Amino acid sequence: MSDASYQMLKVVGLSMTVSVIAFAAPLLLGRRTERRDQVVLLAGFLAIYGAFKLDALLLESGFYLAAPHMSGVMVFARFLLPPAIFFYARAMTSPEPRWLDRRDLWAALWPCSFVAAMAPIYLQDAQIKAEMIAGNLTASPQGGYVVLLCKISFAAFLGVAIIYLVLGLNLLRAHGVRMRDAFSNIDGLALNWLAHVLLVLAVGWAWIVVGDFLAIWRLRPPWYPTLTIYLELAWIGFIALHGVRQPSLYEVPAAATSAISEGYARSALSREQMARIGAKLDRALAQDRLHVDPNLSLHTLSAHIGVSENYVSETLNKHLGVNFFEFVNRRRIDDACALLRAGDSSVLTIAYEVGFNSRSTFHAAFKKYIGASPHAFRKEGPQPDGEGARA
């Protein structure tokens, strides 16, 4: 493929990426929600990514060759991307609105440092800047300094990005624990898609930095930046789609989630008390069949048996060795096993009947607790009592 073809593909891919962001960001900002921090911070991340890609588009389209004095204006946006996605993850996992505050200003330290370090390059005359834009980084009298600064900035970006992404994954892990302590169905609440986004961003940014180093050493294949642009288009589209569809969290009835994971060191529950609460919990599911409600929460269950949420959660974790999510879904799977053996209702009908709200969630839970799919379990036929469901 010719250089001109690669150039055209890059311009098209970058234009599509900027267009996706320009479409998604206003949709987010126009959403009616009490958690404005969540939608605004994601729109901010997309806007920063859009500025970064617009800079690349202007470079690839030749605009900066015609106006070299404007080059480099938006390069710093790249260094704001890792903290921006972290701040969004922090807002999504916070029970209370979480905006940026003065303690977050240190996130701008590295971008500001980069801009200051680039000042001698920004002040070069137009001819030298045009040659550098064309790929001759040593055109400037400070050519060696430029190359060294690029290497340092690439490595520092990747290091800072990994730190932010790890911090974001830790927030999501803790959030998942809280959701399982409070809800029996966590579809749309666990933010698994965002965890996948952070992992993909870590790999993707590493890929980009490797390409930048290869470009400095003149070893980068001509297809590398083109492929990178379309990979970015795919993951930005994924982020935009899921971000627009993701409901704002902590607008749901989640009164229990703020205090559940604080630990039980201050609790005075004895083993006998936990045993009594455990018996109430078993009756609520075995006799009252609360588990068939797909929206059953810890708050609802604790109100039904007249025991505080913290005591119920402590009993589940310490006495029964499970969280709320596991406790309810094990009962649902037990019921599903009985229905699969006894009748010929469809698997999806049974899933809804026992309290699951999606086929995928039911299949995942069934495979976890039984070790086989519902279809495979049904084909095995009736089994003696006690040989079916197993924890």
Side-chain angles (χ1 to χ4, degrees):
M1 188 178 292
S2 66
D3 291 343
S5 298
Y6 279 123
Q7 191 75 12
M8 180 179 297
L9 285 173
K10 286 190 284 186
V11 170
V12 170
L14 289 167
S15 300
M16 292 174 65
T17 303
V18 172
S19 298
V20 167
I21 294 172
F23 178 74
L27 282 180
L28 282 165
L29 294 175
R31 179 188 295 173
R32 293 183 179 180
T33 172
E34 296 177 7
R35 291 302 302 269
R36 294 295 299 169
D37 56 320
Q38 295 175 353
V39 295
V40 169
L41 288 173
L42 180 56
F45 169 78
L46 291 175
I48 294 170
Y49 220 118
F52 176 44
K53 292 293 97 180
L54 178 61
D55 180 71
L57 176 60
L58 294 176
L59 176 62
E60 295 294 341
S61 64
F63 175 82
Y64 285 147
L65 289 175
H69 58 285
M70 296 185 64
S71 65
V73 173
M74 292 182 286
V75 172
F76 74 93
R78 175 179 191 169
F79 303 99
L80 294 176
L81 291 173
I85 194 66
F86 167 77
F87 293 143
Y88 171 64
R90 187 180 66 180
M92 289 299 293
T93 57
S94 173
E96 301 294 333
R98 186 68 186 272
W99 296 93
L100 304 185
D101 53 39
R102 287 181 296 179
R103 292 173 297 179
D104 297 321
L105 291 177
W106 55 268
L109 179 61
W110 171 244
C112 292
S113 300
F114 175 78
V115 171
M118 285 291 291
I121 312 305
Y122 293 142
L123 298 176
Q124 295 292 330
D125 61 50
Q127 181 61 35
I128 291 178
K129 291 186 72 174
E131 292 186 30
M132 295 177 67
I133 293 168
N136 183 11
L137 295 180
T138 59
S140 168
Q142 300 94 357
Y145 171 77
V146 173
V147 173
L148 177 62
L149 180 60
C150 287
K151 291 179 180 179
I152 293 174
S153 66
F154 297 156
F157 168 78
L158 183 57
V160 171
I162 290 175
I163 291 173
Y164 274 113
L165 294 177
V166 169
L167 292 174
L169 287 171
N170 284 336
L171 287 176
L172 292 173
R173 180 194 58 78
H175 170 78
V177 171
R178 291 197 300 272
M179 294 298 100
R180 285 170 172 80
D181 278 339
F183 298 100
S184 61
N185 278 315
I186 58 174
D187 292 344
L189 299 178
L191 298 176
N192 291 329
W193 72 270
L194 185 52
H196 295 154
V197 162
L198 297 183
L199 291 172
V200 169
L201 286 177
V203 175
W205 286 339
W207 170 273
I208 291 173
V209 168
V210 168
D212 290 337
F213 275 106
L214 291 175
I216 290 177
W217 298 325
R218 300 184 182 278
L219 298 174
R220 186 171 67 182
W223 51 264
Y224 200 104
T226 305
L227 177 60
T228 300
I229 287 170
Y230 284 91
L231 289 175
E232 283 190 286
L233 173 59
W235 79 56
I236 283 297
F238 180 83
I239 294 171
L241 174 64
H242 283 269
V244 168
R245 296 172 57 185
Q246 171 66 50
S248 295
L249 300 189
Y250 296 103
E251 288 186 334
V252 295
T257 60
S258 61
I260 287 171
S261 297
E262 294 179 355
Y264 312 107
R266 296 186 300 274
S267 176
L269 282 181
S270 65
R271 291 184 179 181
E272 292 74 16
Q273 288 173 313
M274 285 191 286
R276 286 196 294 270
I277 295 173
K280 289 184 177 182
L281 293 171
D282 285 334
R283 285 195 297 272
L285 271 56
Q287 298 178 11
D288 302 333
R289 299 188 58 77
L290 265 65
H291 58 285
V292 300
D293 176 9
N295 297 316
L296 180 63
S297 67
L298 178 69
H299 179 74
T300 302
L301 180 58
S302 65
H304 181 82
I305 66 173
V307 178
S308 75
E309 295 165 19
N310 272 339
Y311 283 173
V312 171
S313 188
E314 179 179 3
T315 299
L316 290 172
N317 282 269
K318 284 190 171 184
H319 181 64
L320 300 178
V322 295
N323 57 37
F324 177 75
F325 179 85
E326 293 169 335
F327 176 69
V328 175
N329 282 291
R330 284 184 180 180
R331 174 67 65 171
R332 289 170 174 167
I333 294 301
D334 287 342
D335 282 6
C337 288
L339 292 172
L340 286 168
R341 292 195 193 108
D344 57 359
S345 298
S346 71
V347 170
L348 184 58
T349 298
I350 291 174
Y352 289 141
E353 187 173 341
V354 300
F356 288 94
N357 56 7
S358 72
R359 176 190 290 269
S360 60
T361 303
F362 174 61
H363 275 258
F366 202 95
K367 182 75 172 179
K368 175 182 177 181
Y369 297 125
I370 304 303
S373 70
H375 294 285
F377 178 85
R378 170 173 269 172
K379 286 181 180 179
E380 292 178 0
Q383 300 175 18
D385 291 343
E387 294 185 12
R390 52 187 182 270

